Amino acid sequence: MKTKLSVLSAAMLAATLTMMPAVSQAAIPQSVEGQSIPSLAPMLERTTPAVVSVAVSGTHVSKQRVPDVFRYFFGPNAPQEQVQERPFRGLGSGVIIDADKGYIVTNNHVIDGADDIQVGLHDGREVKAKLIGTDSESDIALLQIEAKNLVAIKTSDSDELRVGDFAVAIGNPFGLGQTVTSGIVSALGRSGLGIEMLENFIQTDAAINSGNSGGALVNLKGELIGINTAIVAPNGGNVGIGFAIPANMVKNLIAQIAEHGEVRRGVLGIAGRDLDSQLAQGFGLDTQHGGFVNEVSAGSAAEKAGIKAGDIIVSVDGRAIKSFQELRAKVATMGAGAKVELGLIRDGDKKTVNVTLGEANQTTEKAAGAVHPMLQGASLENASKGVEITDVAQGSPAAMSGLQKGDLIVGINRTAVKDLKSLKELLKDQEGAVALKIVRGKSMLYLVLR
């Protein structure tokens, strides 16, 4: 069973520290009775202050249709749905990536649906965190805290990783407290696991368990190489197969969230599949790695760059790719307008094309709290004449603002709202009270967000 690193409660135990015995350049010798032994302690002393615990709380809201027999007895005024609220708490991990701005990266599934997010720092301080934005398709979220004397982690070039490189995982498994484990990079470019929409995972055998979500996977220099995200856990625990989102993907996503409050996903405009042995044989190729292009969309970035159906894309910015899924994940985490160099094979000849990525049309927004604090708890979706409220969690800020399921947002103050993109642009620059122009049924009304 493949599972995200969900948080489980555990008995109070002392945090354990598993050290790697292998000698390396980063394993600085320590003198013990006149003999030198390797140790990762000096590197960890510099790195672990950048890894934090993330405690969340909120309310899960579930709705069940009231059976017809009960509606029969209670008449036409009987409720159609029964709403149940269930408080929840959870623990995960996070990584400080910018000490001056207080930015912390974690997994989206760690904070999803949370009303309150508290960050526990290495020195014992607890600080309330603000959600800047999320990307559910890649499972990344950006938080911000206000605190002094923070320590940020340095990020490595994850494209330089090789299978067999040493890896160290730092996180908060089972709520025990900060724990360090070690291993190697077991595989690169893992996809097709069904864990996320966009998959290009680093696989590692460093022990990772529930609660490590959002924690750091680092190299022996203490540089971030990935964000721990998921495990294969037939029995709910570590079996030596864990997955992390590569640091380069994280950097691209976080840069967009920090600037825009969202990911403005790049689009190439192709459909395709992995290059397998049968396709490779049919095209007379000596490689089985790459993405086979089945179709190129008219007017797309790919068509403008001269990519054609039947091309086999084998590299992105000079870095070889293994599969179409890896190509999709890399392109989708680059921002719209990014310039990308693609290496491809056409009719047995190698070519290079330069592409300027288009922008994906966003149609839904589940983390509406990142759009405006008083929209938290609402789900938004593009409609023909505005933005529709497709759901509102009971007791949420959105519900307290007066929003209801089925409402259509058509304006902000005196400006029309056409879609999610325009809604976000309008709310981004607004200060103080904001008036939402709402169509509800056949009526028009204004709701004020403060």
Side-chain angles (χ1 to χ4, degrees):
M1 177 181 65
K2 305 178 187 74
T3 178
K4 290 182 180 178
L5 304 182
S6 57
V7 180
L8 304 177
S9 60
M12 296 299 293
L13 299 172
T16 56
L17 182 66
T18 304
M19 289 302 181
M20 179 163 47
V23 179
S24 70
Q25 292 181 351
I28 300 177
Q30 303 295 303
S31 177
V32 177
E33 297 181 355
Q35 296 182 350
S36 294
I37 61 172
S39 175
L40 297 179
M43 177 274 284
L44 291 170
E45 287 171 358
R46 301 190 305 270
T47 306
T48 51
V51 182
V52 302
S53 64
V54 180
V56 301
S57 61
T59 303
H60 284 309
V61 179
S62 60
K63 298 179 180 180
Q64 294 181 333
R65 180 178 172 82
V66 176
D68 292 339
V69 63
F70 287 101
R71 294 206 301 273
Y72 174 79
F73 282 111
F74 288 100
N77 294 325
Q80 299 292 315
E81 294 179 327
Q82 182 181 16
V83 179
Q84 295 182 338
E85 296 184 1
R86 181 166 53 88
F88 73 89
R89 294 181 180 274
L91 290 171
S93 306
V95 182
I96 301 173
I97 57 170
D98 189 319
D100 294 331
K101 296 181 179 179
Y103 282 161
I104 296 172
V105 63
T106 186
N107 285 138
N108 176 64
H109 76 262
V110 169
I111 53 83
D112 189 28
D115 299 322
D116 182 69
I117 305 172
Q118 297 289 332
V119 168
L121 301 176
H122 186 262
D123 59 12
R125 287 179 291 170
E126 292 190 0
V127 186
K128 184 177 178 64
K130 173 186 176 183
L131 177 63
I132 301 299
T134 67
D135 181 41
S136 59
E137 291 189 15
S138 61
D139 200 15
I140 284 294
L142 180 63
L143 310 177
Q144 187 175 36
I145 60 174
E146 293 184 5
K148 296 181 178 180
N149 301 319
L150 296 178
V151 176
I153 200 166
K154 183 179 179 181
T155 303
S156 73
D157 182 355
S158 58
D159 285 336
E160 295 290 343
L161 283 175
R162 298 177 300 170
V163 173
D165 286 348
F166 289 118
V168 179
I170 311 171
N172 181 35
F174 301 113
L176 292 171
Q178 193 173 86
T179 301
V180 181
T181 58
S182 65
I184 64 170
V185 173
S186 304
L188 295 167
R190 285 294 195 213
S191 61
L193 304 173
I195 300 172
E196 308 295 351
M197 291 288 290
L198 299 174
E199 297 182 343
N200 180 29
F201 292 123
I202 301 166
Q203 181 181 325
T204 181
D205 66 344
I208 295 175
N209 289 284
S210 296
N212 274 103
S213 280
L217 189 68
V218 303
N219 59 23
L220 293 187
K221 296 179 182 178
E223 299 169 335
L224 185 71
I225 61 176
I227 296 295
N228 299 323
T229 297
I231 54 176
V232 172
N235 299 313
N238 170 64
V239 294
I241 302 177
F243 300 101
I245 302 169
N248 286 359
M249 283 183 59
V250 174
K251 283 190 292 186
N252 287 335
L253 293 164
I254 292 304
Q256 295 172 59
I257 293 173
E259 183 177 357
H260 306 295
E262 63 178 348
V263 171
R264 295 187 174 178
R265 205 173 305 287
V267 174
L268 189 54
I270 62 173
R273 52 175 290 185
D274 293 347
L275 179 67
D276 55 26
S277 58
Q278 291 181 339
L279 273 174
Q281 184 178 2
F283 280 80
L285 302 175
D286 57 1
T287 179
Q288 295 182 21
H289 296 307
F292 181 79
V293 179
N294 289 341
E295 181 182 356
V296 178
S297 300
S300 66
E303 185 186 57
K304 293 175 183 177
I307 296 175
K308 300 179 180 180
D311 286 348
I312 299 162
I313 299 176
V314 295
S315 68
V316 176
D317 287 335
R319 307 290 176 86
I321 59 169
K322 291 185 175 181
S323 64
F324 189 85
Q325 291 296 327
E326 182 180 352
L327 169 67
R328 177 174 175 266
K330 285 193 171 186
V331 167
T333 51
M334 296 177 180
K339 299 183 184 301
V340 185
E341 181 184 274
L342 298 179
L344 56 86
I345 298 175
R346 178 184 299 162
D347 298 328
D349 297 326
K350 294 183 178 180
K351 296 180 179 293
T352 300
V353 297
N354 294 305
V355 185
T356 301
L357 300 180
E359 183 174 358
N361 294 321
Q362 186 178 16
T363 59
T364 62
E365 175 67 61
K366 292 185 178 180
V371 180
H372 190 283
M374 294 310 294
L375 290 179
Q376 184 172 335
S379 296
L380 312 176
E381 184 172 322
N382 279 343
S384 59
K385 295 182 180 180
V387 176
E388 183 181 356
I389 308 294
T390 57
D391 195 19
V392 178
Q394 189 170 349
S396 66
M400 291 186 286
S401 298
L403 288 169
Q404 298 179 12
K405 180 179 179 180
D407 283 352
L408 187 67
I409 302 175
V410 296
I412 299 291
N413 297 334
R414 296 182 178 181
T415 306
V417 169
K418 298 179 180 180
D419 51 24
L420 269 169
K421 183 177 181 180
S422 64
L423 174 67
K424 291 180 179 182
E425 288 293 333
L426 289 169
L427 287 177
K428 182 178 65 175
D429 299 326
Q430 296 288 343
E431 296 182 0
V434 176
L436 295 185
K437 188 176 182 181
I438 300 290
V439 175
R440 180 177 296 167
K442 296 182 179 181
S443 303
M444 185 81 72
L445 64 148
Y446 279 91
L447 295 177
V448 179
L449 306 182
R450 300 184 183 277

